[in-house]
Amino acid sequence: MFAFWLSLALGPVSLPLGETLRAFLRLFGLPLDGEGLQQAELIVGQIRLPRSLLGVAVGAVLALSGVAMQGLFRNPLADPGLVGVSAGAALGAAVAIVGGSYLGGLSPQFAPYLLSACAFLGGLTVTAVVYRFGRSDGQTNVATMLLAGVAMTAMAGAGVGLFTYLADDATLRSLTFWNLGSLNGASYQRLWPLLLVALGVALWLPRRAAALNALLLGESEARHLGFDVERVKLELVLCTALGVGAAVAAAGLIGFVGLVVPHLMRLLVGPDHRVLLPASLLAGASLLLLADLIARLLLAPAELPIGIVTALIGAPFFLYLLVRGRT
C-alpha cells in the first residue's frame, strides 16, 4: 500500500509500481519477481487498497455524522439514522434491486452505479422531508424533526418490507446482503464519489466546531454568542445526509459506528468538538478496518457482512459503557 501511494505521489519521476513494490518488499525479506510480483500488484493495488480506502472513508463519515447529530440533538445517544437518511437509502436500494428484477434484470455494467445512485437519492429525499417537517415560521424545531425522523424511518422500513415481500429468491438474497453492509467488491469507480463527499464533510464539520460547542449550552445561548443557529442546523443536517447517504450507497447499511464511536471518543477526549471531531474521524476509520478484518478472517474463506461485525462489537461495548456510567 505504501509503495503504491509512493509511486502516485512521486509522479512520472518515480519508479514504476512494480519496481517500487519490489524494493519495498525486499525491505521485509520478501523478494518477489515475475508472476509473484504481478500477483502482489493485483492484490495490493486493485483489491486491498480500494477496499481499505472504502472502509476508512465509510468509518470516518459515519463517525463524523454521529458527532454532528449528537451535537445537534444535544444527546450522546443520538445516531445519524435519526434524520431518516439510512432508512431512505435502504428504500432507494430496495427500489433499485427489486425494480430491476421486475424489469428483467439490470446490466451488470450499470447495476452497481444505479444501486448507489438510488440509495443516495433515497437518503437525501427522506432527510429533506424530515427537515421540511421540522421547519415552522422560519425556525427548525429539533424535537419535531426528531419525531418526523422516527415516522419517516418507520415508513421507509415499511417500504423496504414491501419490496422484500415482492422479491424473488435471488433478489431477496441480494437485498438482504446489501442491508447487512459489506466492503466486498470495492473498486476505484465506487470509491472516488465517496472520497469526495468524505473529504468535504471532513473539511466542513470542523469549521463548525465552535458552533457545536455553543449548541451544547442551548439554542438561545448559542444565538447570544453570535451564531446563526438555523444555518448551523441546516449545515449539520445537510452534511449528515450527504455523508451517510454516500456511505450507505457505497457499502450498504452499517450500524453502531455513528453511535458508539462519538460516545467513546467523548469519554476519552472530552466534549470539545475541536478535538472530538478529528478523534472520531480516526476512531471510526480504525473501527471499520478492524471490523472488515474480522469479517474476512472469522469464517474464512467465507466472509461475514460487516454490519453484523460492527453490531457484535458495538452493542456489547455500548452496554458496557452504559453500565459503567451507572456505577
Side-chain angles (χ1 to χ4, degrees):
M1 183 185 301
F2 172 78
F4 180 81
W5 281 111
L6 181 62
S7 66
L8 290 182
L10 296 180
V13 301
S14 68
L15 296 173
L17 174 59
E19 296 181 19
T20 308
L21 182 59
R22 186 186 300 114
F24 182 68
L25 291 174
R26 281 174 177 166
L27 295 176
F28 295 90
L30 299 172
L32 294 179
D33 293 292
E35 183 179 351
L37 180 61
Q38 292 178 358
Q39 292 178 354
E41 290 181 24
L42 175 63
I43 293 173
V44 173
Q46 300 300 323
I47 299 177
R48 297 302 185 203
L49 182 59
R51 183 174 183 135
S52 298
L53 290 177
L54 180 62
V56 167
V58 170
V61 164
L62 292 178
L64 288 174
S65 300
V67 175
M69 287 297 96
Q70 291 176 9
L72 175 63
F73 290 105
R74 298 190 296 280
N75 189 334
L77 300 181
D79 181 82
L82 287 178
V83 293
V85 58
S86 299
L91 179 59
V95 171
I97 295 173
V98 180
S101 68
Y102 273 88
L103 294 176
L106 300 174
S107 170
Q109 184 178 2
F110 299 104
Y113 301 102
L114 180 61
L115 174 60
S116 298
C118 289
F120 184 69
L121 292 176
L124 288 183
T125 300
V126 172
T127 305
V129 173
V130 170
Y131 182 78
R132 181 63 187 87
F133 271 104
R135 294 283 293 177
S136 178
D137 299 326
Q139 302 290 323
T140 304
N141 190 304
V142 174
T144 303
M145 190 166 60
L146 174 61
L147 295 175
V150 172
M152 292 301 299
T153 297
M155 292 180 63
V160 172
L162 175 61
F163 282 106
T164 301
Y165 175 78
L166 296 175
D168 55 32
D169 291 341
T171 306
L172 179 60
R173 182 177 178 85
S174 300
L175 182 59
T176 300
F177 272 95
W178 190 90
N179 282 328
L180 293 176
S182 175
L183 301 182
N184 192 23
S187 64
Y188 293 111
Q189 289 77 13
R190 292 174 58 188
L191 180 61
W192 294 126
L194 174 60
L195 284 181
L196 292 176
V197 174
L199 181 62
V201 173
L203 291 177
W204 189 258
L205 280 180
R207 295 164 56 94
R208 294 293 174 260
L212 284 168
N213 287 338
L215 281 176
L216 294 177
L217 303 174
E219 292 186 16
S220 60
E221 288 78 3
R223 290 191 183 92
H224 289 311
L225 290 173
F227 293 100
D228 188 342
V229 175
E230 296 305 316
R231 181 175 178 177
V232 171
K233 290 180 184 178
L234 176 60
E235 291 177 358
L236 293 178
V237 172
L238 182 60
C239 281
T240 300
L242 290 174
V244 176
V248 173
L253 293 176
I254 300 176
F256 277 97
V257 178
L259 175 63
V260 173
V261 170
H263 191 79
L264 174 61
M265 290 298 102
R266 190 175 286 104
L267 294 177
L268 293 178
V269 302
D272 188 350
H273 287 85
R274 293 173 297 179
V275 181
L276 180 60
L277 284 167
S280 298
L281 184 151
L282 295 175
S286 301
L287 176 60
L288 251 291
L289 288 179
L290 174 62
D292 182 51
L293 180 64
I294 295 174
R296 288 187 289 109
L297 297 180
L298 192 61
L299 297 178
E303 179 180 325
L304 276 176
I306 195 170
I308 295 178
V309 179
T310 56
L312 290 176
I313 295 175
F317 185 72
F318 193 68
L319 290 175
Y320 164 74
L321 292 177
L322 293 179
V323 172
R324 181 186 175 189
R326 293 170 54 186
T327 59

